[in-house]
């Protein structure tokens, strides 16, 4: 995410699997008594919602395989109606399937493997009961298909994308323009799901979104077909990859689709599709050209564009951009700065970097959010280097350093919600500066080789999620010694490194860490000459005609004490 400062009818499982989506017309049928909803009438206090947190055992027993979402969007009434099919596997037999969906919706029917079941919708969760499902009153271990029909008015976004929901807007020509942002609150804001970052649908997502004729739907993956009936058009989207819940969404507008292509570093030709407002179509070429240039930079450091079997997508939205997989969003102000004689947009680049850091390399839970935001922000520094050289790199790193507030550790525990771990700007700025420091500690060759491995090795990508420990162990292995103290100090505390320079005699000085946690290299300047020296717990003694300088180039977050 970008910060502005440097969110009764029965269907058999076989039939559901065959058709993929369920026609909306079936939803008017009466619901079974078994499916009677036991629902609180109180709507969700959306401001208190935060995705993730400690995973309940009943959900830990579930592995989500696929979501299929069918919705009719009534823009005039800010209302959605449809169904979601959740294909999942149970590791062990269970008497309950637990999914997440906020209280804004009326659930009209739930079926498991085509059989109507009882359920309870309360406290933003759907408790689906195994009573009467089989002789044991349990859902057996293995595959199940859960069909949920529902409708309601989704929450409106307060400050998108940070405080999310639906944004019902108009473009400058008065056309309807709808965007969705749900990073903070989670997919439960509009579809039933297992709302935890550790479990992405391994077989992807299908979406059938129906909107008023004349408007278009920009979605994730590949557009399979469009069907127009009378005054409505349905857009069928499908992903072939795993995808985070908060990227399972769509945007609606009076779009023109400007197309191009990009050849990846491995020679794969990827379609570029820009869903731009018709009124802004003259701006499309400059955005696409910047996108191609940015692709080359990101591929240089992080490997091939991750979603080359689908597309490079961009959708214009009426709020700041977000990293929605294969369809990142971009506001339509078209504000660029000039770096090295080339047009550059930090918003556009940062959200694009998330295709690698967030979408391909995904945090196991929000406690490790710095991985996606910090490395995504550090990618901006690498872009500055590619466009404007070392001077521009140094400028943005210095800006990131100035932006650190040290309010709480970047990693404050495990199994945290998004709210619990979000440290304001620090997950961006301190996360970026940490990568800058780590680069100095292990050297460029090892740093860039290992960073690319983190972005490309299947152990850390796509189906596999990561934690801070995974990242630390990878870099420690590359370095040949443990970097855990370095990671722990910078990510799990808010401390600064403290170093004293003490005059001990004539032209004699001792340089010593005051809060030592491991031996580290420092750039020490003596008589105008900078030398890289390893300083341990007891410090070092140097001879110098004048006061020596320590880390003058600013590789570390530190406090110097002159004694």
């Amino acid at each position: 995410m970008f910060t502005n400062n440097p969110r009764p009818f029965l269907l058999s499982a076989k039939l559901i699997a065959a058709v993929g989506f369920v026609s909306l017309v079936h939803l008017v049928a009466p619901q079974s008594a078994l499916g009677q909803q036991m629902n609180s009438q109180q709507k969700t206090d959306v401001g208190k919602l935060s995705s993730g947190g400690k995973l309940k055992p009943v959900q830990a027993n579930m592995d989500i395989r696929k979501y299929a979402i069918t919705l009719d969007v009534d823009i005039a009434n800010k209302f959605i109606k449809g169904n979601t099919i959740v294909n999942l596997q149970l590791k062990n037999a269970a008497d309950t399937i637990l999914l997440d969906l906020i209280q804004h919706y009326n659930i009209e029917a739930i079926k498991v493997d085509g059989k109507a079941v009882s359920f309870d919708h309360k406290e933003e969760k759907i408790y689906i009961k195994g009573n009467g499902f089989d002789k044991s009153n349990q859902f057996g271990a293995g595959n199940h298909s859960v069909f949920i029909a529902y409708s309601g008015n989704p929450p409106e976004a307060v400050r998108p994308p940070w405080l999310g929901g639906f944004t019902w807007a108009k473009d400058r020509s008065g056309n309807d323009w709808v965007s969705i942002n749900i990073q903070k609150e989670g997919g439960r804001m509009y579809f039933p799901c297992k709302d935890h970052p550790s479990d992405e649908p391994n077989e992807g997502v299908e979406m059938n979104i129906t909107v008023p004729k004349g408007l278009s739907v920009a979605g994730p993956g590949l557009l399979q077909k469009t069907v127009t009936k009378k005054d409505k058009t349905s857009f069928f989207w499908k992903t072939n990859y795993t995808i985070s819940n908060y990227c399972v969404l769509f945007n609606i507008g009076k779009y023109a689709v400007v197309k191009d292509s990009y050849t990846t570093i491995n020679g794969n030709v990827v379609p570029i599709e820009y869903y731009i407002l018709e009124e802004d179509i003259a701006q499309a070429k400059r955005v696409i050209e910047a996108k191609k240039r940015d692709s080359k930079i990101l591929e240089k450091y992080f490997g091939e564009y991750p979603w080359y079997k689908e597309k490079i997508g961009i959708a214009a939205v009426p709020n700041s951009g977000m990293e929605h997989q294969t369809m990142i969003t971009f506001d339509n102000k078209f504000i660029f700065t000039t770096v090295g004689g080339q047009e550059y947009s930090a918003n556009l680049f940062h959200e694009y970097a998330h295709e690698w850091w967030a979408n391909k390399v995904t945090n196991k839970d929000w406690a490790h959010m710095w991985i996606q935001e910090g490395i995504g922000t550090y990618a901006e520094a690498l872009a500055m280097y590619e466009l404007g050289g070392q001077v521009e790199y140094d400028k943005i790193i210095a800006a990131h350093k100035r932006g650190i507030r040290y309010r709480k550790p970047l990693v404050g525990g495990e199994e945290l919600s998004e709210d619990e771990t979000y440290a304001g700007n620090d997950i961006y700025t301190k996360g970026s500066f940490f990568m800058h420091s780590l680069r100095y500690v292990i050297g460029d060759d090892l740093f860039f080789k290992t960073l690319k491995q983190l972005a490309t090795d299947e152990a850390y990508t796509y189906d596999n999620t990561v934690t801070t420990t995974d990242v630390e162990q990878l870099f420690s292995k590359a370095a040949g010694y443990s970097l855990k103290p370095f990671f722990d100090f910078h990510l799990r505390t808010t401390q600064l490194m403290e170093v004293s320079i003490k005059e001990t005699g004539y032209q004699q000085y001792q340089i010593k860490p005051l809060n030592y946690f491991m031996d580290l290299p420092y750039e020490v300047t003596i008589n105008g000459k900078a030398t890289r020296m390893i300083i341990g717990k007891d410090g070092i003694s140097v001879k110098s005609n004048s006061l020596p300088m320590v880390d003058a180039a600013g590789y570390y977050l530190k406090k110097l004490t002159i004694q």
Side-chain angles (χ1 to χ4, degrees), residues 372-429:
Q372 68 180 58
E373 294 296 358
I375 302 180
T377 303
Y378 185 69
E380 296 180 56
L382 298 177
M384 291 297 98
Y385 178 78
E386 293 296 320
L387 297 176
Q390 190 65 43
V391 170
E392 293 297 331
Y393 174 92
D394 291 342
K395 282 170 60 177
I396 195 170
I397 288 294
H400 292 168
K401 182 179 180 181
R402 290 194 301 273
I404 302 171
R405 296 294 177 260
Y406 305 98
R407 289 173 181 154
K408 60 181 177 180
L410 296 193
V411 182
E414 299 294 330
E415 294 188 281
L416 302 179
S417 70
E418 205 260 11
D419 275 350
E420 288 174 314
T421 200
Y422 196 85
N425 280 357
D426 283 9
I427 59 169
Y428 306 91
T429 54

Side-chain angles (χ1 to χ4, degrees), residues 405-467:
R405 296 294 177 260
Y406 305 98
R407 289 173 181 154
K408 60 181 177 180
L410 296 193
V411 182
E414 299 294 330
E415 294 188 281
L416 302 179
S417 70
E418 205 260 11
D419 275 350
E420 288 174 314
T421 200
Y422 196 85
N425 280 357
D426 283 9
I427 59 169
Y428 306 91
T429 54
K430 189 178 180 184
S432 172
F433 199 90
F434 172 76
M435 298 305 292
H436 173 68
S437 298
L438 180 62
R439 175 183 173 184
Y440 176 72
V441 171
I442 66 174
D444 279 11
D445 289 346
L446 277 181
F447 175 80
F448 286 116
K449 179 182 178 182
T450 309
L451 186 58
K452 183 173 284 189
Q453 182 182 353
L454 178 59
T456 56
D457 191 319
E458 65 179 13
Y460 310 105
T461 57
Y462 298 117
D463 284 354
N464 295 309
T465 55
V466 299
T467 66

Side-chain angles (χ1 to χ4, degrees), residues 91-345:
K91 299 172 187 176
N92 302 295
D95 59 9
T96 303
I97 291 174
L98 178 59
L99 296 172
D100 300 294
L101 182 69
I102 64 171
Q103 302 300 129
H104 278 58
Y105 304 100
N106 178 55
I107 298 178
E108 294 144 5
I110 297 183
K111 298 175 175 62
V112 178
D113 303 335
K115 184 175 181 179
V117 294
S118 62
F119 61 92
D120 190 359
H121 185 202
K122 62 182 181 180
E123 297 175 345
E124 334 310 339
K125 297 186 181 299
I126 310 171
Y127 295 85
I128 303 170
K129 312 298 182 60
N131 298 339
F133 184 77
D134 65 9
K135 292 181 180 180
S136 67
N137 290 323
Q138 288 192 321
F139 303 108
N143 296 325
H144 295 281
S145 183
V146 182
F147 167 85
I148 304 172
Y150 61 102
S151 61
N153 297 97
E156 295 192 39
V158 176
R159 188 169 65 92
W162 298 275
L163 299 177
F166 278 55
T167 298
W168 309 91
K170 299 282 187 180
D171 64 20
R172 297 190 305 278
S173 299
N175 301 301
D176 287 315
W177 196 13
V178 183
S179 71
I180 305 174
N181 291 280
I182 51 175
Q183 184 184 52
K184 171 179 137 52
E185 300 83 4
R188 60 185 164 175
M189 287 283 274
Y190 87 96
F191 71 96
C193 60
K194 176 182 174 181
D195 194 18
H196 197 276
S198 64
D199 195 356
E200 299 181 347
N202 306 71
E203 297 159 24
V205 171
E206 294 178 357
M207 303 184 84
N208 172 11
I209 309 301
T210 300
V211 297
K213 182 180 178 181
L215 298 176
S216 296
V217 175
L222 295 171
L223 182 61
Q224 305 298 299
K225 63 179 179 178
T226 61
V227 177
T228 299
K229 293 182 180 180
K230 296 183 179 179
D231 59 347
K232 295 184 177 182
T233 302
S234 298
F235 292 78
F236 294 75
W237 287 93
K238 181 180 180 181
T239 70
N240 298 306
Y241 297 95
T242 59
I243 184 171
S244 297
N245 279 351
Y246 76 90
C247 290
V248 179
L249 47 73
F250 54 89
N251 295 284
I252 302 168
K254 186 71 172 177
Y255 290 126
V257 184
V258 180
K259 298 184 178 183
D260 205 322
S261 64
Y262 172 75
T263 302
T264 72
I265 196 170
N266 291 344
N268 290 299
V269 179
V270 188
I272 297 175
E273 297 181 0
Y274 186 6
Y275 280 68
I276 187 171
L277 295 180
E278 288 185 347
E279 60 192 21
D280 292 325
I281 198 167
Q283 300 285 348
K285 182 176 175 58
R286 66 195 291 228
V287 173
I288 290 174
E289 289 305 310
K291 196 78 166 177
K292 289 181 178 180
R293 189 265 327 283
D294 294 347
S295 298
K296 292 178 181 178
I297 294 172
L298 289 162
E299 286 192 318
K300 174 180 176 179
Y301 291 101
F302 310 133
E304 186 177 31
Y305 175 71
W307 320 105
Y308 63 86
K309 294 179 183 178
E310 294 184 345
K311 69 178 184 302
I312 297 171
I314 320 164
V317 291
N319 45 255
S320 184
M322 272 292 295
E323 64 259 26
H324 302 141
Q325 187 168 306
T326 72
M327 189 66 86
I328 71 158
T329 57
F330 180 56
D331 67 23
N332 67 330
K333 299 182 181 65
F334 308 104
I335 299 171
F336 291 82
T337 57
T338 300
V339 183
Q342 299 184 58
E343 284 193 329
Y344 174 80
S345 164

